[in-house]
Amino acid sequence: MKKYKFFNFLLPFLGVVLLTLLLHWQKAPAQSSSIHLTMGNPSGAVTNTSYPNNYLLSKSQYALSYNNTTRIPNWVSWQLNNSWLGSTPRQDDFRADTSLPSGWYQVQGTDYQGSGFDRGHMTPSADRTNTVTNNSATFLMTNMIPQAPDNNQGPWANLENYSRDLVVNQGKELYIISGGYGSGGTGSNGTKYTIANGKIQVPARTWKVIVVLDTPGSGVSGVTTNTRVIAVDMPNSQGIRSDNWKTYRVSVDSIESNTGYNFLSNVSTSIQSVIEARIDNL
DNA sequence: CTGACAATC
DNA sequence: GATTGTCAG
């Protein structure tokens, strides 16, 4: 009898503990737990097949909003710091992303062949060289957009190299978001609006937003009105190969108005309004 | 000139 | 795997 009385005494406490755990478990999926979405979720993407054109794919290596109409990501977002970098060689295993919801077309590793467009990485292979698994993940076709070779291998690649330099040689931590917008690009076989028999759309422009944190690990609170933000918007076209990426710098505000996305939404609006209006000039 | 990175065939 | 091209050191 004594034992039962003791249990009755404990019951309310047990109830509170269980309820607290339950609430936490329910809340967990709702928030963007991904480190790659530290600065925000630009389109409010959710992992819900009711929104096939803004479907959140959250991987340990990066997060993205997939568009099942264009068959390319709306945006891809990833963290870049020293811990992601190592000596793993490029895996080159371009392949379909089988994690897409069943019934959706899966862009094949071969779908860009003969199109005149590169399978342009959003999260670069060279930004994930710490393990074979992480490098290989960048070759999933959901991380690709059809990119004009002169864009991808020219100023776009140079900005990627510059970004890694900020991490390796200046100790920065970056939060990067990139994608395309508009319709119709000019690749090595001319202007196209779609490739792969109309299955995949070709964007007219490619854009990128890079938040440069002086203190790795400082997160959103490391962002001040002095924080450097590099944003670029360049044509998805041939003929720009030898252009300096710096000539394509714009404000985050201009990319927001062209894409309809809201960047850095986890940063206080008073800081956002300053750093999103500024055009990088370093 | 070489190595790293972006690719294609 | 071989080849092409750019860039940084």
Side-chain angles (χ1 to χ4, degrees):
Chain A
M1 272 304 167
K2 225 181 177 183
K3 260 187 183 164
Y4 285 114
K5 266 208 159 160
F6 185 57
F7 190 63
N8 281 339
F9 170 74
L10 273 180
L11 215 57
F13 294 92
L14 254 172
V16 169
V17 168
L18 284 174
L19 199 68
T20 309
L21 281 171
L22 195 69
L23 283 172
H24 274 83
W25 285 334
Q26 284 185 327
K27 264 193 154 172
Q31 70 194 6
S32 53
S33 52
S34 170
I35 189 80
H36 307 298
L37 298 179
T38 297
M39 297 298 154
N41 178 329
S43 60
V46 284
T47 309
N48 181 333
T49 52
S50 297
Y51 304 96
N53 295 333
N54 189 23
Y55 184 83
L56 179 67
L57 267 183
S58 190
K59 304 177 187 294
S60 62
Q61 299 85 4
Y62 52 87
L64 63 85
S65 162
Y66 188 71
N67 188 315
N68 193 39
T69 298
T70 60
R71 300 319 185 353
I72 58 176
N74 296 309
W75 50 260
V76 182
S77 187
W78 67 102
Q79 178 198 57
L80 180 60
N81 60 31
N82 243 317
S83 73
W84 294 103
L85 302 178
S87 54
T88 302
R90 183 184 168 95
Q91 297 300 299
D92 264 322
D93 50 350
F94 292 94
R95 63 200 187 283
D97 189 338
T98 57
S99 76
L100 286 172
S102 62
W104 291 16
Y105 179 73
Q106 295 177 355
V107 173
Q108 301 298 297
T110 52
D111 275 346
Y112 287 29
Q113 273 179 15
S115 69
F117 291 89
D118 285 355
R119 295 170 290 191
H121 285 72
M122 292 294 92
T123 306
S125 163
D127 281 8
R128 294 289 180 265
T129 52
N130 57 335
T131 67
V132 169
T133 300
N134 289 345
N135 183 261
S136 182
T138 71
F139 288 87
L140 291 167
M141 293 306 291
T142 47
N143 183 43
M144 307 289 168
I145 68 173
Q147 237 173 319
D150 283 359
N151 168 304
N152 187 37
Q153 300 172 31
W156 191 264
N158 294 342
L159 175 56
E160 290 177 347
N161 290 335
Y162 178 82
S163 302
R164 279 186 296 275
D165 186 74
L166 289 176
V167 171
V168 173
N169 295 320
Q170 298 186 45
K172 309 293 191 186
E173 175 169 86
L174 312 182
Y175 287 91
I176 309 173
I177 313 122
S178 77
Y181 73 89
S183 185
T186 307
S188 57
N189 291 335
T191 299
K192 298 193 175 180
Y193 295 87
T194 64
I195 60 173
N197 297 315
K199 287 195 288 290
I200 305 166
Q201 294 185 21
V202 180
R205 314 273 310 179
T206 63
W207 56 265
K208 184 173 252 184
V209 173
I210 304 171
V211 177
V212 184
L213 290 187
D214 293 329
T215 310
S218 57
V220 186
S221 55
V223 181
T224 71
T225 54
N226 293 321
T227 297
R228 184 180 185 194
V229 178
I230 304 167
V232 297
D233 181 341
M234 54 183 82
N236 192 19
S237 306
Q238 294 296 79
I240 68 168
R241 180 175 290 262
S242 53
D243 291 356
N244 191 317
W245 65 265
K246 291 186 174 182
T247 65
Y248 292 110
R249 287 183 290 194
V250 296
S251 67
V252 172
D253 281 338
S254 95
I255 301 179
E256 285 188 339
S257 68
N258 282 318
T259 62
Y261 302 140
N262 180 15
F263 299 108
L264 320 186
S265 59
N266 289 348
V267 174
S268 77
T269 52
S270 57
I271 295 175
Q272 274 189 60
S273 62
V274 174
I275 64 180
E276 293 188 1
R278 194 163 54 212
I279 300 175
D280 179 66
N281 60 1
L282 289 182

